[in-house]
Amino acid sequence: ILNDAMLTNRATILSEIEGLELKNLVSNALALAVMLIVTIILTKAICGPLKAVATLANDIADGDLSQKLDRNAIGKDELGQLAESVESMQNNLKSLIEQVASAVSQVNQSAGEVNMISKQSADGMQHQQQETGQVSSAMTEMEYVIHDLSKNTANSAKEKKKEKKTN
């Protein structure tokens, strides 16, 4: 009897163990499937937005500041904060480039004005130099005329003195 009871218990225990092994195998397979699905979802949730931010950063590095991110597709988590920072950097670079372009335009305009003023000054100085040369020539001629006039006056005065003495 005891032997029969032990054999029956043994058969029941072995049957239960086989059932537990099957349940364990099924639960492990389900857990693995769930982990695989969660891994795929998390990978897409992280890699998709991260790839979009990296693409935008590469576009900015290549000088293309016109690209935009779909902020709704990225979210508001840490990746969203990273995307916000990259967009802020992009906007700051745009602003800086616009300021530099404006400054260059102003410098070009000022350089044109300085060039025009320099040309006018050079023309004025050349004209003044010509006039100064003419004044110098005129003064030299006047000097000769005054010298001749002085000489003639002195000669006339001597002649008048001689005439007075002879009279």
Side-chain angles (χ1 to χ4, degrees):
I1 295 194
L2 190 57
N3 203 12
D4 282 339
M6 278 178 62
L7 287 175
T8 306
N9 271 346
R10 183 175 183 189
T12 306
I13 290 172
L14 286 176
S15 145
E16 288 290 326
I17 288 175
E18 285 177 14
L20 284 174
E21 284 177 354
L22 183 61
K23 286 179 186 177
N24 190 22
L25 186 62
V26 170
S27 68
N28 284 341
L30 283 174
L32 185 62
V34 168
M35 286 191 311
L36 186 62
I37 291 170
V38 167
T39 301
I40 291 170
I41 291 171
L42 286 176
T43 301
K44 286 185 179 185
I46 293 171
C47 290
L50 190 58
K51 185 176 180 181
V53 172
T55 300
L56 178 63
N58 286 330
D59 289 342
I60 292 170
D62 291 339
D64 183 3
L65 300 176
S66 65
Q67 300 301 318
K68 295 285 182 194
L69 283 176
D70 180 11
R71 296 289 286 128
N72 294 330
I74 293 178
K76 297 186 184 218
D77 56 2
E78 290 82 2
L79 288 174
Q81 291 173 355
L82 176 63
E84 206 171 283
S85 295
V86 170
E87 283 181 327
S88 177
M89 176 182 66
Q90 179 183 28
N91 292 332
N92 289 342
L93 282 172
K94 277 182 189 177
S95 175
L96 182 64
I97 288 170
E98 288 169 359
Q99 289 173 1
V100 167
S102 175
V104 166
S105 174
Q106 289 175 353
V107 166
N108 282 339
Q109 184 179 0
S110 295
E113 290 172 6
V114 166
N115 190 23
M116 183 178 70
I117 290 169
S118 295
K119 186 179 179 331
Q120 289 174 348
S121 294
D123 290 346
M125 288 186 341
Q126 187 177 18
H127 181 70
Q128 188 176 14
Q129 187 178 18
Q130 288 171 351
E131 287 181 356
T132 302
Q134 290 173 354
V135 167
S136 176
S137 294
M139 287 179 73
T140 303
E141 284 180 35
M142 284 174 69
E143 181 184 354
Y144 289 129
V145 168
I146 290 171
H147 183 59
D148 285 346
L149 192 63
S150 173
K151 210 179 195 185
N152 289 341
T153 304
N155 287 341
S156 288
K158 281 183 186 177
E159 294 267 336
K160 282 212 174 201
K161 269 188 183 182
K162 277 187 187 176
E163 276 180 27
K164 280 188 180 180
K165 284 186 181 181
T166 51
N167 279 343

